Amino acid sequence: SSDLWSAFDHLDLNRHPLNFPDWTHTNSVVYSPDDKALIISMRHQSWVLKIDYNDGQGAGDILWKLGYQGDFSLQNGTDPQDWFYAQHDANIISPTSKGVFQLLLFDDGNQRVLDSGGTTCGGTSTPPCTSRTPILQLDETAKTATIEWVDNAAPAYSMFGGSARLLQNGNVEF
């Protein structure tokens, strides 16, 4: 059916940074009114994806992948450790939702990649994993993600849940 989207049709079946059995774990779906796309948070891919939805008439193609090994270069941070990992609750916090816009999410931090060799947090000889809450400014044309603000919750660590919201007074609740 054209109104059904399956991650199995669009993602590399051999990519599973958080292993199994929850390879397709999606924990938020947000409508992007400016381009009628969907923005989904796939925790076990450590990616936020934008999908061509077009109010049910789109092709379902992935327009971009945000996160480590995705389509964007990270600005104002160090790749790979300053990307988000095993995130929850990606949501748009700017008046616009395409082009240049802001995204807020809760970065649980599971399996955070610490270096170009693929070392991850939480091992016997590596730092413990920690959670964070970043605000990212995305530029879809330049494919850049700029960390505009981040609350490093260290030493707090939420290994399985979390959410983040921008409040009317400008504070971030997580």
Side-chain angles (χ1 to χ4, degrees), residues 30-47:
V30 175
Y31 181 68
S32 170
D34 293 344
D35 55 5
K36 301 176 182 176
L38 295 177
I39 296 176
I40 68 171
S41 170
M42 293 194 79
R43 170 177 163 81
H44 284 223
Q45 293 295 313
S46 290
W47 276 344

Side-chain angles (χ1 to χ4, degrees), residues 15-174:
R15 185 179 191 276
H16 34 82
L18 263 68
N19 292 316
F20 300 102
D22 209 4
W23 181 84
T24 62
H25 182 121
T26 299
N27 55 47
S28 66
V29 178
V30 175
Y31 181 68
S32 170
D34 293 344
D35 55 5
K36 301 176 182 176
L38 295 177
I39 296 176
I40 68 171
S41 170
M42 293 194 79
R43 170 177 163 81
H44 284 223
Q45 293 295 313
S46 290
W47 276 344
V48 172
L49 309 175
K50 194 170 208 184
I51 298 170
D52 174 17
Y53 176 63
N54 194 23
D55 290 341
Q57 303 305 305
D61 297 330
I62 294 173
L63 301 174
W64 49 250
K65 301 173 194 118
L66 177 68
Y68 175 57
Q69 297 177 327
D71 301 320
F72 287 73
S73 62
L74 186 64
Q75 311 294 302
N76 219 20
T78 304
D79 186 351
Q81 60 264 37
D82 286 333
W83 278 114
F84 49 85
Y85 292 88
Q87 77 289 342
H88 278 91
D89 197 29
N91 57 97
I92 300 164
I93 60 167
S94 54
T96 57
S97 64
K98 75 171 187 176
V100 176
F101 66 99
Q102 291 179 312
L103 197 71
L104 170 66
L105 55 80
F106 186 82
D107 172 10
D108 288 80
N110 307 61
Q111 305 281 324
R112 184 178 308 283
V113 179
L114 303 173
D115 57 38
S116 58
T119 306
T120 59
C121 64
T124 56
S125 60
T126 61
C129 296
T130 58
S131 299
R132 308 173 325 137
T133 307
I135 294 175
L136 300 167
Q137 178 170 292
L138 306 184
D139 183 328
E140 293 180 298
T141 303
K143 290 291 190 285
T144 58
T146 304
I147 300 171
E148 290 194 327
W149 178 89
V150 66
D151 186 299
N152 289 301
Y157 172 54
S158 175
M159 65 180 285
F160 66 88
S163 64
R165 284 290 181 270
L166 180 66
L167 304 178
Q168 284 187 343
N169 67 3
N171 291 344
V172 174
E173 178 181 57
F174 58 91

